[in-house]
């Protein structure tokens, strides 16, 4: 004992000398560092105030070194910094600080840190920078240490400035991630300091002098994704977003403080306020000028980044300015900041000639900034036209005019933002752009070269806004005056884009629908006047004028086709005026154009002649179509073409293509455009189609002469351009006549034919119908991948048109075309099959005669003969066809297909799969059956196994679809079912020997599946129609018996595993078909003696085959998927055969034979192996389902259970292993969950209460919070999944009672698990989401059994902590739905709890509401791909509002609170209109609950911004919702 005391005294003496040794000059620095480190970590060092002493020693040493008072080696300096860092980050120091111990950091250390970071920022020197940044992080992370920075604001300002510059100047440096963490901490501290600072001048000076520039540069780089590129993923997205948000807050709090408002007013409004006292704001008179000066300084960043930073910062600063100062009385002040900030942009100086032209990228950046500035003006209602004119002398208007002139004078059509800026200006006030309307129409539409998709969309929106604006102002004729002026002004017409492409066309059409007919007629007359006065006189030999004529023609076409039609309710003056314009157009425009075309046409037409012909025929077709439409809808309109409906057809004078233009003249026109493959030809086809329709509307249209005319006209439409469809083309057409050219004409021509087939088909001759069918087959896409082209929705192609026809429900109704198309497919398939023949074709024609029937009539006659009843002499017996097939298969099928032929046939089979094979006529049905059957049994040559397997699977899949049709029985009048079965099985067994695939190859398994379905269909058909059951099933079982023996002997060559699997599938399908039938007949006491015996034989063979397939060959061999599908079938049939009458339980039969015993061994072997393999099988849905089905059946048979171990415990243990596996989240899918439920349900039925208690105990153990502490995630998930499945099982008696007694523990455990999952970063949604799911189910199931309201209210604790921020869109949607389900379960099922828990309920609901508003806000950048998820969430909120409204007696007192929460949050964001509409529909239902006093209370108590939102909301409520419902009440009894 004495020795120990002496040793401690000695050690104390040694350690007490450490401080002297650290200061000693004789001690080496290596020893000093070792001593200092040892002193820090040792518990036996008795230095007084040790922590402070060691820190001071390190600090003094570093200060002396950096002040050149001490010379140290570089590694010593680095180790000193590491030493300081270790102390600052040590748990020991943190504990001391928590316990109230004071450790002082001297300012000298902080200054050195700042200096080193500044050095790193300027020179990039990385000496010791990692340790220095870590020291800085350690200081800022501990509030007790960070006070050294916050006590002197200039230190934190300098640190933050240098940190930002460091990361901006070295964006690809190694220290980036560490720098961002320190910046994040520094911003936090500076924000707190900024909010506490009472001197606005000091904050403003700090911001503008030190922080404004680096913060803006850093924010620009963050926004541009500089640190989120591949390979630089160290910057997490959340951290980036947080830093950007904090920078915005710092800028707003420093530059746009509320106490600087008077200074901004004095500067921007030029108001000298005499009553401002001299004080803290003395000499702070021009804050905006100061900010702008700092922003535009050229030297703080590289020149290539400077313009980008300025452009991005301008819109940010303006938005922050509005956030701080925008109130109703400050709108003009907010505008005055706009020109100052706009002046920072480069484009603001362009008109002054101070700068050279900008590049396209510069224009894009600058215009995006202008767009954001103008958007801020529009969304915040800063521009009031009347107030600006009356109070401010149109100051705002003149500024916007200057911006408009700048934009129009410097057209930038390739930039989408240019169009958007003009659109906003038009929305603000049309007078801003009206002085330059002609230049706007020219540069933004008529003369614009727009090719990029986004630019086209922006152009479309602008044109739509222009048309809508002038339509509302009823000034469309004036707009047309400008449009026509631009079209008709001298220009290089050939360089212009089509006037009415799909985008402008849609905008124009929408405008016409809103106009009164009188204004449309004004515009129509205006176009006619311009055409006649300016274009017609100059058409001859002038290509530009001819192109102008075509533009005006397309404009006329658009006006006439999209104006409202006349009807008998129209005023008579309007009808008369329309008729006059139609007559004038025909006489003064259409006929002269046709005359000019004929007079000046040359054998080799020039471009101007082609365009004149296009114009003449387009106007002719347009006039004829509109004339017919007006005649049909308005009886007071008198057509020049004569009466349309009801008149008898004058055969001597059939309808003309155009009134007053004789047939001979049309023949000359046709001769002129004979070689044309563009608009002229298309319009002529449309005229002939119009003539056909007019003929059909005559009363005598079915006369011989009329039919002759109809046949001639329809043939003319088809024959006019046969050659253009001879080759495939992938060109797309937007369906607008103005964009048609020679390349798109084939698409337009085919579209015309297909869209009018119902009119044309009855009058086409057989050859023409075959031609249409041939073109259809040739233009159908070869595979589904080609169906979707990279074009927008308006575009069509040959493939799209043909695909639409194939999928049309009208296609089968056009019988002649449908038959011709079927014949085309048959002929093409047959020709490919015949090309693969390696025998004499004459012999094949006798064996497979259907391959040589290529004519419709001979095909029908052949099969009608075959399908006729068999007479005493005549038709060959059905067995002969089967014998032909079998002999050909055994001797080598005469058709052998190579790889190319297989690919061609697969393309045709894809086409066949689109047809409705279940509704074919009997002759076609049988022909297609034998065609597909011939393909399926053909010999496959040297083809790759995957291709051959895909081909066979496709053949059998189509045969399955065919045999589900109404004429399926027709096949069995040519071949017996058992013969078809034999041919299929024989050919597949023979083919399987050639396949080099594994037993679990997906293509092979797919073939087994589809061929098995086909065999099952054959046997089901036998049973349904009772076709000689004993005979057919007997032949099938005899066949299978022969092949089964061959599978176990060497005589027959069925040694391959694939062959055994085929036989097993066949036997499985046989038992699945015959077993239930025998069971049903036995229960009805109608079973024939032979069928049970046949079933018994099938079971024996199946058991033997299963034993063969079970031979592993190698240790650890897993059960094949085919076997897994077969064993449950055998067990199910076996159980059904040995069920004693009147006994629900399965018991052993007394006279048990060997088969049953051998099967018992088989079942038990499979059971043992399945228990081991079940977790592995969970990756394969189909195999896993079969395994669960087998285990469920196994539980039904007590005689199979071992007496040594509990089957319940074994199965439950295996299921737990599955649920604990790594694939848990994706495991319990919709396909597998019902099978797991069935298994558990059977387990609970067979098991005792003790067994059920074991399951509950396992769940509680898995939900124990210690599992989360041990990070045993899979155990927790297993318990949650198991609980979810258990709740879905029907329970009663003691088991149900035990469950609900355990319910309080379960809910508490779920809450604890949820709390732990939410503590993790990132949040463990993989746990949170299942907890919400199971909680909703538990609350619904416990509606009548959960008696304690406290246990239900625990759910609110979970809902209030569910994370809804920083989630991906799909995650957000999923979590949101599950939270909604829990809330809904409480609301609907636990009304007693709701009486006391309404505040908690509303708090949870408001979290959902606020999250939808946050996610549904309009963002500056980004796509709208996430919007569908937000819309679905908004619908759920609306639905919850409706449920709340139905509980009026409970929620009436809280309705003002709900409305206040909504409007308070709504004022903070700008929602997408669709989201806003859904939420408003819901809040309207809550307003229905509000009394008048509630409305008055809200008006008085809400804050000004929220009050404005409420005022608008209430007005909309009265206008749209309440008025509508009061109107409905009038008609309610």
């Amino acid at each position: 004992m004495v020795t120990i005391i002496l040793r401690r005294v000695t050690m104390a003496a040694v350690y007490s000398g450490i401080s002297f040794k650290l200061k000693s000059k004789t001690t080496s620095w290596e020893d000093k560092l070792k001593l200092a480190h040892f002193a820090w970590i040792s518990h036996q060092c008795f230095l007084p105030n040790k922590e402070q002493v060691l820190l001071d020693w390190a600090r003094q040493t570093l200060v002396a070194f950096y002040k050149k008072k001490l010379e140290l080696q570089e590694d010593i300096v680095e180790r000193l910094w590491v030493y300081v860092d270790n102390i600052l980050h040590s748990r020991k120091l943190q504990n001391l600080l928590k316990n109230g111990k004071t450790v002082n950091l001297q300012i000298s250390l902080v200054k050195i840190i700042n200096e080193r970071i500044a050095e790193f920022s300027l020179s990039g020197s990385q000496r010791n920078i990692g340790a220095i940044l870590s020291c800085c992080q350690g200081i800022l992370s501990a509030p007790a240490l960070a006070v050294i920075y916050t006590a002197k604001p200039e230190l934190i300002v300098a640190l933050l400035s240098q940190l930002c510059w460091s990361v901006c100047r070295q964006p690809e440096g190694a220290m980036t991630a560490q720098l961002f963490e320190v910046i994040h901490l520094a911003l936090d501290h500076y924000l707190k300091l900024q909010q506490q600072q009472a001197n606005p001048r000091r904050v403003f000076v700090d911001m503008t002098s030190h922080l404004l520039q680096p913060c803006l540069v850093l924010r620009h780089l963050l926004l541009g994704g500089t640190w989120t590129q591949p390979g630089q993923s160290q910057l997490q997205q959340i951290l980036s977003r947080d830093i950007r948000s904090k920078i915005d807050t710092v800028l707003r709090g420093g530059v746009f403080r509320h106490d600087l408002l008077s200074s901004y007013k004095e500067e921007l409004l030029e108001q000298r306020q005499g009553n401002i006292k001299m004080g803290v704001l003395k000499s702070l008179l021009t804050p905006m000028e100061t900010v702008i000066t700092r922003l535009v300084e050229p030297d703080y960043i590289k020149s290539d980044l400077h313009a980008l930073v300025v452009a991005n910062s301008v819109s940010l600063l303006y938005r922050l300015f509005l956030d701080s100062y925008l109130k109703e009385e400050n709108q003009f002040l907010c505008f005055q900041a706009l020109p100052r900030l706009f002046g920072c942009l480069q484009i603001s100086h362009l008109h002054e000639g101070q700068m050279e032209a900008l590049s396209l990228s510069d224009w894009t950046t600058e215009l995006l900034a202008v767009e954001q500035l103008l958007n801020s003006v529009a969304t915040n209602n800063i521009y009031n036209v009347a107030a600006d004119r009356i109070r401010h002398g149109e100051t705002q208007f003149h500024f916007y005019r200057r911006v408009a002139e700048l934009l129009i004078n410097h057209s930038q059509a390739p930039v989408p933002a240019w169009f958007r800026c003009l659109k906003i200006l038009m929305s603000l006030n049309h007078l801003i752009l009206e002085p330059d309307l002609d230049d706007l129409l020219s540069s933004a539409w008529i003369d614009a070269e727009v090719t990029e998709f986004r630019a086209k969309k922006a152009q479309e929106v602008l044109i739509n806004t222009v048309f809508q604006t002038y339509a509302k102002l009823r000034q469309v004729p004036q707009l047309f005056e400008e449009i026509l002026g631009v079209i008709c002004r001298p220009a290089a017409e050939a360089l212009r884009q089509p006037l009415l492409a799909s985008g402008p066309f849609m905008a124009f059409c929408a405008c016409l629908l809103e106009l009164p007919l009188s204004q449309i007629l004004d515009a129509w007359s205006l176009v006619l006047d311009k055409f006649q006065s300016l274009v017609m006189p100059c058409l001859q030999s002038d290509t530009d004028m001819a192109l102008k004529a075509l533009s005006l023609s397309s404009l006329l076409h658009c006006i006439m086709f999209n104006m409202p039609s006349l009807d008998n309710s129209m005023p008579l003056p309007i009808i008369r005026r329309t008729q006059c314009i139609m007559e004038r157009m025909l006489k003064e425009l259409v006929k002269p154009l046709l005359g000019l075309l004929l007079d000046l046409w040359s054998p080799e037409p020039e471009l101007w002649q082609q365009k004149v012909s296009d114009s003449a025929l387009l106007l002719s077709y347009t006039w004829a179509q509109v004339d017919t439409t007006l005649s049909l809808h308005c009886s007071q309109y008198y057509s020049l073409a004569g009466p349309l409906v009801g008149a008898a057809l004058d055969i001597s004078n059939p309808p003309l293509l155009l009134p007053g233009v004789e047939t001979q003249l049309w023949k000359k026109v046709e001769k002129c455009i004979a070689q044309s493959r563009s608009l002229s030809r298309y319009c002529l086809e449309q005229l002939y189609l119009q003539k056909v329709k007019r003929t059909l509307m005559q009363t005598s249209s079915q006369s011989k002469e009329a039919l002759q005319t109809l046949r001639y006209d329809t043939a003319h439409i088809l024959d006019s351009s046969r050659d253009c469809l001879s080759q495939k083309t992938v060109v797309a057409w937007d369906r607008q006549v103005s964009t048609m050219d020679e390349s798109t004409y084939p698409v337009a021509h085919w579209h015309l034919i297909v869209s009018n087939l119902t009119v044309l088909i009855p009058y086409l001759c057989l050859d023409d119908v075959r031609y249409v069918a041939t073109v259809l087959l040739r233009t159908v896409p070869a595979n589904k991948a080609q169906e979707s082209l990279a074009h927008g929705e308006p575009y069509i192609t040959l493939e799209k048109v043909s695909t639409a026809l194939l999928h049309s429900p009208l296609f089968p109704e056009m019988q002649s075309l449908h038959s011709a198309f079927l014949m085309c497919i048959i002929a093409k398939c047959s020709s490919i099959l015949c090309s693969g023949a390696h025998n004499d074709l004459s012999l094949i024609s006798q064996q497979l005669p259907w391959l040589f029937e290529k004519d419709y009539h001979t095909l029908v006659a052949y099969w009608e003969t075959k399908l006729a009843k068999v007479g005493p002499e005549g038709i060959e017996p059905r067995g002969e066809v089967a014998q032909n097939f079998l002999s050909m298969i055994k001797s080598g099928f005469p058709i052998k297909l190579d790889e190319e032929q297989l690919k061609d046939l697969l393309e045709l089979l894809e086409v066949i799969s689109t047809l409705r094979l279940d509704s074919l006529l009997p002759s076609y049905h049988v022909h297609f059956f034998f065609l597909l059957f011939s393909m399926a049994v053909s010999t496959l040559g040297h083809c790759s196994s995957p291709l051959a397997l895909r081909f066979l699977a496709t053949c059998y899949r189509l045969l399955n679809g065919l045999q589900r049709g109404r004429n399926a029985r027709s096949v069995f009048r040519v071949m017996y079912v058992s013969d078809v079965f034999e041919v299929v099985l024989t050919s597949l067994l023979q083919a399987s020997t050639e396949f080099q695939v594994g037993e679990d190859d997906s293509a092979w398994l797919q073939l087994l599946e589809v061929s098995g379905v086909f065999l099952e269909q054959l046997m089901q058909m036998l049973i349904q129609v009772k076709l000689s059951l004993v005979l057919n099933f007997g032949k099938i079982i005899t066949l299978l018996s022969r092949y089964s023996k061959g599978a176990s002997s060497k005589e027959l060559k069925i040694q391959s595993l694939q062959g055994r699997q085929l036989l097993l599938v066949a036997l499985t399908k046989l038992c699945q078909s015959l077993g239930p039938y025998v069971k049903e007949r036995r229960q009805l006491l109608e079973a024939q003696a032979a069928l049970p015996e046949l079933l018994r034989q099938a079971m024996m063979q199946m058991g033997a085959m299963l034993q063969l397939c079970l031979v592993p060959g190698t240790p650890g061999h897993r059960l094949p998927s085919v076997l897994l599908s077969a064993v449950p079938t055998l067990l199910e049939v076996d159980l059904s055969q040995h069920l004693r009458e009147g006994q629900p339980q399965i018991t052993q039969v007394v006279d048990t034979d060997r088969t049953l015993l051998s099967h018992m061994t088989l079942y038990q072997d499979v059971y043992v192996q399945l228990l081991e393999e079940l977790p592995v099988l969970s990756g394969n849905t189909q195999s896993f389902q079969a395994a669960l089905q087998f285990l469920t059946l196994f539980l039904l048979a007590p005689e199979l259970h071992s007496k040594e171990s509990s089957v319940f415990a074994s199965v439950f243990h295996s299921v737990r292993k599955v649920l604990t596996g790594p694939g848990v989240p994706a495991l319990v899918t919709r396909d597998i969950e019902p099978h797991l439920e069935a298994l558990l349900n059977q387990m609970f039925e067979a098991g005792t209460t003790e067994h059920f208690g074991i399951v509950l105990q396992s769940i509680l153990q898995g939900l124990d919070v210690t599992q989360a502490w041990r990070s045993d995630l899979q155990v927790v998930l297993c318990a949650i999944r198991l609980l979810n499945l258990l709740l879905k099982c029907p329970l009663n008696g003691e088991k149900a009672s035990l469950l609900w007694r355990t319910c309080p523990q379960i809910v508490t455990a779920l809450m604890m698990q949820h709390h732990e999952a939410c503590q993790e970063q990132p949040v463990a949604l993989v746990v949170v989401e299942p907890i919400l799911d199971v909680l909703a189910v538990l609350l619904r199931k416990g509606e009548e059994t959960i008696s304690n309201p406290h246990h239900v209210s625990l759910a609110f604790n979970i809902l209030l902590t569910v994370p809804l921020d920083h989630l991906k869109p799909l995650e957000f949607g999923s979590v949101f739905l599950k939270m909604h389900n829990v809330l809904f379960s409480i609301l609907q099922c636990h009304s007693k709890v709701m009486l006391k828990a309404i505040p908690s309920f509303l708090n949870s609901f408001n979290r959902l509401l606020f999250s939808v508003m946050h996610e549904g806000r309009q963002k500056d950048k980004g796509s709208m791909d996430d919007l569908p998820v937000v819309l679905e969430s908004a619908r759920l909120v609306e639905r919850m509002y409706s449920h709340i409204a139905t509980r009026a007696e409970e929620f009436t007192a809280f309705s003002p609170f709900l409305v206040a929460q909504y409007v308070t949050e709504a004022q903070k964001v700008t929602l997408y209109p669709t989201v806003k509409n859904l939420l408003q529909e819901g809040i309207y239902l809550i307003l229905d609950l509000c009394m008048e006093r509630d409305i008055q209370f809200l008006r008085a108590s809400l804050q000004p911004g929220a009050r404005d939102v409420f005022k608008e909301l209430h007005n909309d409520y009265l206008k749209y919702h309440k008025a509508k419902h009061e109107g409905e009440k009038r008609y309610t009894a």
Side-chain angles (χ1 to χ4, degrees), residues 416-680:
W418 182 75
F419 292 103
R420 295 197 292 265
C421 291
L422 291 169
K423 181 257 178 187
I424 298 169
L425 291 171
M426 176 61 72
S427 302
L428 288 174
N429 186 353
H430 75 285
L431 294 174
I432 294 170
L433 292 170
E434 193 164 82
D436 302 312
L437 186 57
D438 55 343
D439 292 331
L440 169 69
L441 293 168
S442 172
S443 57
W445 176 19
I446 297 169
D447 294 315
E449 293 184 19
V450 184
T451 55
E452 200 261 329
F453 177 75
R454 292 186 305 121
K456 282 185 177 180
K457 282 295 180 186
Q459 181 195 39
E460 181 181 337
V461 173
L462 170 61
I463 295 171
N464 186 55
T465 304
V466 172
F467 276 121
Q468 293 295 331
T469 301
Y470 279 88
K472 289 176 184 174
L473 295 168
R474 293 292 188 260
Q475 294 180 12
V476 170
Q478 293 92 311
L479 176 63
F480 261 88
E481 189 88 42
E482 298 290 348
I483 293 172
L484 294 172
V486 176
I487 293 173
C488 296
R489 68 168 62 156
E493 290 289 329
L495 300 178
R496 280 180 168 173
Q497 299 287 324
L499 180 67
L500 289 173
S502 60
F505 174 81
M506 297 300 293
F508 190 28
C509 293
C511 167
L512 290 173
L513 291 174
E514 296 183 6
L515 288 179
L517 195 54
S518 59
Q519 287 205 15
I520 296 177
L521 294 175
D522 289 342
W524 189 355
S525 298
L526 197 60
V527 180
L528 289 178
D529 292 340
K530 291 286 185 183
F531 208 131
Q532 275 187 294
S533 60
L534 297 178
V535 177
M536 282 292 288
C538 310
L539 269 179
Q540 188 171 349
S541 302
D542 191 334
T543 302
D544 277 349
M545 277 299 171
L547 288 165
K548 290 184 193 300
L550 185 56
S551 295
L552 293 176
S553 301
S554 63
L555 193 61
L556 275 172
H557 170 80
C558 187
I559 292 172
M560 294 170 70
F561 264 48
N562 294 282
M563 70 177 190
S565 178
L566 296 179
D567 56 39
N568 292 326
S569 64
M570 285 280 182
L572 194 59
I574 293 289
I575 297 174
R576 292 285 177 262
R577 188 180 174 198
T578 306
Q579 188 155 356
C580 290
I581 294 177
M582 286 288 288
E583 292 174 3
R584 177 191 167 197
M585 179 176 171
L586 180 63
K587 292 176 182 176
E588 299 180 10
L589 190 59
V590 178
K591 288 183 179 179
L593 277 172
L594 287 171
L596 181 66
L597 169 64
L598 295 175
D599 292 342
L600 301 175
W601 192 263
S602 59
E604 295 183 1
E606 299 177 20
L607 179 61
W608 73 270
Q609 291 172 309
Q610 296 172 18
K611 296 305 172 185
V612 168
S613 73
D614 288 347
S615 300
L617 285 161
L618 174 59
L619 291 177
S620 300
Y621 149 59
T622 304
W623 191 95
Q625 178 78 29
V626 173
D627 181 67
T628 303
T629 305
L630 296 177
S631 300
L632 281 172
H633 290 89
C634 183
S635 60
Q636 298 178 32
Y637 174 85
Y638 299 104
S639 169
L640 291 176
L644 186 62
V645 181
L649 184 65
D650 184 1
I651 301 306
S652 63
N653 188 20
L656 298 173
L657 295 179
L658 209 62
V661 184
E662 298 300 325
T663 306
Q664 297 301 321
L665 188 62
W666 280 116
K667 293 195 176 193
K668 293 181 182 177
V669 172
E670 289 179 33
K671 188 176 179 182
C672 290
I673 64 169
Q675 302 304 317
S676 172
R677 289 293 178 270
S678 61
L679 185 57
S680 302

Side-chain angles (χ1 to χ4, degrees), residues 992-1278:
S992 67
T993 59
E994 304 295 330
F995 298 141
Q996 304 299 320
V997 291
E999 61 179 350
D1000 278 339
D1001 182 88
S1002 59
W1004 168 247
L1005 292 177
Q1006 186 182 13
L1007 175 59
L1008 285 178
E1009 182 182 355
V1010 294
S1011 59
V1013 171
F1014 179 65
L1015 296 176
E1016 185 179 17
Q1017 276 185 345
L1018 293 176
M1019 291 181 283
Q1020 289 294 342
M1021 180 68 69
L1022 268 180
I1023 292 170
Q1024 286 172 15
V1025 298
K1026 297 183 173 60
L1027 289 173
S1028 306
L1029 292 180
V1030 176
L1031 177 63
N1032 276 290
F1033 276 116
K1035 289 179 66 177
I1036 289 172
I1037 290 174
T1038 303
L1039 170 73
L1040 289 170
S1041 175
R1042 187 170 75 248
Y1043 281 136
S1044 298
K1045 289 177 182 176
S1048 57
S1049 68
K1050 298 183 180 179
E1051 295 176 5
L1052 296 174
K1053 299 178 181 178
I1054 311 178
Q1055 295 297 318
S1056 71
L1057 184 60
Q1058 285 79 16
R1060 291 174 179 176
Q1061 289 184 342
L1062 271 169
L1063 288 174
L1064 186 56
V1065 167
L1067 286 164
T1068 303
K1069 297 303 179 183
L1070 175 60
C1071 290
Q1072 284 178 349
S1073 302
L1074 191 54
Y1077 178 74
V1078 170
K1079 180 181 178 183
E1080 180 186 351
R1081 295 293 98 189
R1082 178 182 292 165
Q1083 289 172 350
L1084 297 174
L1085 303 177
E1086 297 176 2
Q1088 301 177 31
L1091 287 178
E1093 176 59 25
L1094 290 175
L1095 179 59
R1096 191 185 67 81
Q1097 293 177 25
M1099 290 169 57
M1100 288 175 61
Q1101 294 176 30
M1102 190 173 175
M1105 189 58 60
L1106 281 167
Q1107 293 287 3
L1108 274 178
C1109 294
L1110 264 178
V1111 177
T1114 55
H1117 184 81
R1118 291 211 301 268
L1119 292 172
S1121 56
V1122 177
L1123 184 142
L1124 280 172
S1125 303
V1127 174
T1129 301
L1130 181 61
L1131 178 55
E1132 186 174 9
V1133 175
D1134 206 349
L1135 290 174
S1136 67
Q1137 296 306 303
H1138 295 89
L1139 178 64
R1140 291 180 183 173
E1141 292 185 17
Q1143 284 191 345
Q1145 294 295 328
I1146 300 299
T1147 56
Q1148 213 168 358
V1149 179
V1150 177
D1151 55 340
T1152 305
D1153 57 15
R1154 285 187 179 181
T1155 305
L1156 184 58
L1157 290 174
S1158 65
H1159 288 175
M1160 287 181 65
T1161 307
L1162 171 69
Y1163 302 144
Q1164 288 165 346
D1165 290 344
V1166 172
Y1167 165 74
V1168 172
Q1169 198 162 349
L1170 268 184
L1171 290 182
E1172 296 177 2
E1173 293 183 11
L1174 201 59
V1176 181
L1177 291 174
S1178 62
N1180 185 325
T1181 303
Q1182 192 171 358
S1183 298
F1184 191 62
Q1185 287 179 0
L1188 293 178
Q1189 187 181 357
F1190 174 80
L1191 290 175
T1192 306
L1193 292 167
F1194 192 86
L1195 286 164
L1196 280 169
E1199 67 272 23
L1200 297 178
H1201 300 178
S1202 170
K1203 296 179 181 179
E1204 298 173 1
S1205 61
S1206 167
V1207 173
F1208 185 98
S1210 301
V1211 174
F1212 178 64
H1213 176 68
S1214 188
V1215 170
R1216 278 196 74 240
K1217 283 174 66 179
V1218 170
L1219 293 174
T1220 317
V1224 174
L1227 170 67
V1228 188
T1229 61
R1230 292 178 182 175
D1231 296 330
I1232 295 175
E1233 196 171 54
H1235 297 276
L1236 270 173
E1237 287 177 26
L1239 175 61
L1240 287 174
N1241 189 33
Q1242 190 57 48
M1243 287 172 61
F1244 295 148
E1245 282 186 11
T1248 62
T1249 306
E1250 288 74 18
H1251 287 144
F1252 187 75
I1254 293 172
V1255 177
L1256 282 180
Q1257 189 62 34
S1258 171
I1259 291 172
L1260 288 173
Q1261 286 175 358
L1263 292 177
D1264 191 271
V1265 73
T1266 56
Q1267 303 288 356
W1269 294 342
R1270 288 198 293 265
S1271 300
D1272 206 342
L1273 181 64
Q1274 295 304 325
V1275 174
V1276 176
L1277 288 174
C1278 170

